[in-house]
């Protein structure tokens, strides 16, 4: 089984307000609420692809109940730690010309007792999981070393761990050398603390990270595909032109594809192709973290992988 | 007991985002969710004043559970009809210079079976209620004659009915001659379908409505107090200068004061004074539909009522 970890899930509330502007009152019939947070997007894509997936993390309040009910309806297993605070809302307002305005609540505070309970649950979850995926930000109260801790424990049991986060949560997590990370270009810039423009600079930065023991550094580049460093090897994955309906969640969908490829023991090139195919299939749908398996399969055939030259940046 | 009817309640979600603008992403630690809808504001003020109050209407989903739990915590009795849809959210974003941007969901659809169940419940509630207050809009599926129906049934049992709504729901309700209505100036203009500027025009319009059998026509005028027509008598209520913290909910608080005055058999002038005192006390608080009883009592002493001359507009 693949397990996705979402420590700070959310209810994503999406409103369509054509003429949205500050200072007015708008009534809308177009709104929806979905179980959100990057790790839940990953889980939804894995499930839509047809694989078994377990979700875990911290959850609370009415929003927590809503999320668990929605996951259960979608056949996604869930085993969260119940907290006293209310799981956050993320508000997205879509207005004309696909302008998106977002308000993200900070989320509830997690106590050290709840963290301890999660770690106990995590040990049990590790037994049954073949691949672990952790995505997104850390809620208040959770130390920035949390992902480090989770990666170390997974490694002790020989389970590969995919970490998809940013900022200091990513920086600290990297100290435990996760199996795979998937920064986009701006996350890579933030991590390296320098501007990264050209393909050469991307490769150089990814190589630097990889030399600290990260098996796969997958840099997602939107419609330009991805650049991947694995030990001394480099790959470039290119995607065919598609009609983009909604690119939000494509990064999460790519992570889902990589996790499935890893879980199913795909060869390196096929794993990378599946990741990029899932990300692309998501962009073809209106929904965030939505794919059609038929689209993934057709993209998988059309995605091209080529090896690229990687100079050892530390030599 | 006073009963407030809220057919389309909401969870009011309030965000403080100083530099809010369209097209960006904002993270905020300042947010709160409260049981909302005008009738629930009225109930909260009645309870804060120390009187017993029952709330009723249609409620559903996780938001419905949240509202019922919050009402119960606040000691406010509740007896709603459970519906299958989700009770709506009303999003308010407060940005600099007290700019308010609002997004109101349309709310769930109510079925004819649920309306029938509500009417059965209403008959039982009428037995135990001395004063009825109905506030706000009608949810989808509820006919515009709904308030008409509720007023007629209350009248059969000799129970006074306060109607605080607008547009066609108010227009239809007026056909049943409720005991009291409380339009503000713009609601009065919408109702009369003509611009209303001067005090004379307000009095004339209120008198026209009153002649159709409405005992009290209370026109709320914000910091200018209120003008009231009761049969052949006219009153003007003036309020002292106060420091306004948040005027939102002052109309609902005024309705609460009027309902309490009516319930406690106050004389006309004292009832009007209590209404205006509650409205003013609400403007002195940050919270919407919040009062301090001490402020109401001090305002009650400072509010001035004077009789005004009313010409019979139909003569």
């Amino acid at each position: 089984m693949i397990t996705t970890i979402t420590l700070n899930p959310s209810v994503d509330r999406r409103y369509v307000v054509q003429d949205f502007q500050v200072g007015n009152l708008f009534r809308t019939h177009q709104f929806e609420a979905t179980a959100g947070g990057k790790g839940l997007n990953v889980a939804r894509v894995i499930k839509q692809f047809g694989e078994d997936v377990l979700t875990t993390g911290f959850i609370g309040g009415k929003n927590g109940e809503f999320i668990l009910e929605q996951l259960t309806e979608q056949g996604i297993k869930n085993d969260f730690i119940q907290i006293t605070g209310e799981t956050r809302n993320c508000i997205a307002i879509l207005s004309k010309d696909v302008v998106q305005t977002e308000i993200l609540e900070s989320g509830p505070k997690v106590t050290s007792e709840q963290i301890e309970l999660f770690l106990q649950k995590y040990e049990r979850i590790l037994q049954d999981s073949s691949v672990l995926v952790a995505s997104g930000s850390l809620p208040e109260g959770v130390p920035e070393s949390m992902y480090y801790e989770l990666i170390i424990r997974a490694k002790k049991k020989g389970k590969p761990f995919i970490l998809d986060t940013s900022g200091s949560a990513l920086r600290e997590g990297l100290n435990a050398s996760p199996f795979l990370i998937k920064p986009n270009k701006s996350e890579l810039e933030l991590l390296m603390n320098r501007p990264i423009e050209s393909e050469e600079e991307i490769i150089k930065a990814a190589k630097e990270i990889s030399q600290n023991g990260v098996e796969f550094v997958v840099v997602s580049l939107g419609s330009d595909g991805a650049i991947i460093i694995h030990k001394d090897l480099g790959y470039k994955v290119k995607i065919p032109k598609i009609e983009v309906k909604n690119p939000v969640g494509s990064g999460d969908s790519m992570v889902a594809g990589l996790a499935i490829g890893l879980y199913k023991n795909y060869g390196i090139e096929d794993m990378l192709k599946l990741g990029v195919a899932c990300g692309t299939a998501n962009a073809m749908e209106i929904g965030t973290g939505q794919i059609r398996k038929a689209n993934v399969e057709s993209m998988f055939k059309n995605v091209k992988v080529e090896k690229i030259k990687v100079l050892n940046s530390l030599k």
Side-chain angles (χ1 to χ4, degrees), chain A:
Chain A
M1 190 164 59
I2 302 170
T3 295
T4 78
I5 299 159
T6 316
L7 298 179
N8 202 10
S10 64
V11 172
D12 289 347
R13 300 186 186 275
R14 213 167 92 115
Y15 296 91
V16 179
V17 182
Q18 279 309 321
D19 51 345
F20 187 63
Q21 48 183 291
V22 174
N24 288 4
L25 182 150
F26 303 92
R27 293 177 193 273
T28 180
H29 289 260
Q30 288 178 277
F31 51 90
E32 55 175 22
T34 49
K38 292 159 65 67
L40 299 189
N41 291 341
V42 175
R44 200 153 44 223
V45 170
I46 294 172
K47 182 69 195 177
Q48 284 166 352
F49 192 81
E51 293 300 324
D52 220 22
V53 60
L54 172 73
T55 53
T56 187
F58 300 105
I59 209 142
K62 295 294 166 201
N63 278 348
E65 289 173 21
F66 172 84
I67 289 173
L68 295 184
E69 285 174 18
Q70 200 177 82
L71 290 175
T72 302
E73 271 169 29
Q74 291 167 347
I76 296 171
K77 295 198 184 95
N78 46 80
D79 187 6
F80 281 77
I81 290 291
Q82 196 72 41
I83 60 172
T84 39
E86 177 83 24
T87 288
R88 69 198 170 126
N89 294 283
C90 291
I91 311 283
I93 303 142
L94 271 84
S95 49
K96 60 187 158 216
D97 304 327
V98 212
V99 171
Q100 187 150 330
T101 309
E102 288 177 81
I103 301 175
L104 314 187
E105 295 180 9
S106 49
K109 198 167 153 52
V110 176
T111 66
S112 48
E113 290 74 22
Q114 289 157 351
I115 294 171
E116 188 48 42
L117 284 172
F118 177 79
L119 290 174
Q120 287 167 21
K121 187 186 287 286
Y122 180 67
E123 287 295 332
R124 291 193 300 274
I125 284 174
L126 273 179
Q127 305 286 358
D128 301 328
S129 305
S130 303
V131 176
L132 285 303
V133 181
S135 305
S137 65
L138 299 172
E140 209 185 330
V142 171
E144 288 184 347
S145 60
M146 185 68 169
Y147 288 139
Y148 174 91
E149 183 67 32
L150 299 183
I151 295 163
I152 293 293
R153 290 179 185 223
K155 284 180 131 175
K156 277 191 189 145
K157 293 212 162 60
K159 308 290 171 89
F161 195 108
I162 297 177
L163 179 62
D164 185 22
T165 185
S166 59
S168 49
L170 174 56
R171 197 167 285 122
E172 294 244 1
L174 275 179
N175 292 331
S177 302
F179 185 82
L180 187 152
I181 65 168
K182 189 221 62 60
N184 58 30
K185 200 159 74 66
S186 63
E187 286 164 346
L188 191 62
E189 285 179 328
L190 188 67
L191 186 63
M192 305 309 287
N193 199 23
R194 66 183 192 233
I196 290 171
E197 292 301 331
S198 65
E199 199 173 298
E200 287 66 35
E201 287 172 339
I202 292 170
I203 295 168
K204 186 169 181 294
K207 180 68 189 169
E208 279 177 50
I209 298 165
S210 135
Q211 283 176 322
N212 289 318
V214 180
E215 288 273 320
F216 286 90
V217 179
V218 179
V219 184
S220 59
L221 300 169
S223 58
D224 289 334
I227 287 174
I228 300 98
I229 299 297
H230 169 60
K231 298 179 178 168
D232 288 328
L233 301 172
Y235 301 88
K236 193 164 155 181
V237 188
K238 283 185 180 168
I239 54 179
K241 280 262 172 293
I242 56 148
E243 195 205 336
V244 173
K245 287 204 180 143
N246 175 16
V248 180
S250 286
D252 301 334
S253 304
M254 188 173 172
V255 167
L258 294 166
I260 295 166
L262 194 56
Y263 177 65
K264 291 170 84 91
N265 287 315
Y266 278 25
I268 291 176
E269 297 199 8
D270 279 354
M271 177 185 86
L272 300 178
K273 275 165 71 175
L274 188 62
V276 172
C278 283
T280 309
N282 173 77
M284 294 162 77
E285 305 296 322
I286 291 288
T288 297
Q290 298 282 342
I291 56 140
R292 279 183 238 193
K293 197 174 179 185
N295 283 341
V296 174
E297 284 164 351
S298 118
M299 280 298 130
F300 186 81
K301 285 179 201 144
N302 286 300
V303 160
K304 300 272 171 266
V305 182
E306 60 180 70
K307 288 204 176 151
I308 51 175
K309 220 175 173 175
V310 180
L311 294 175
N312 191 330
S313 66
L314 296 189
K315 281 178 192 166

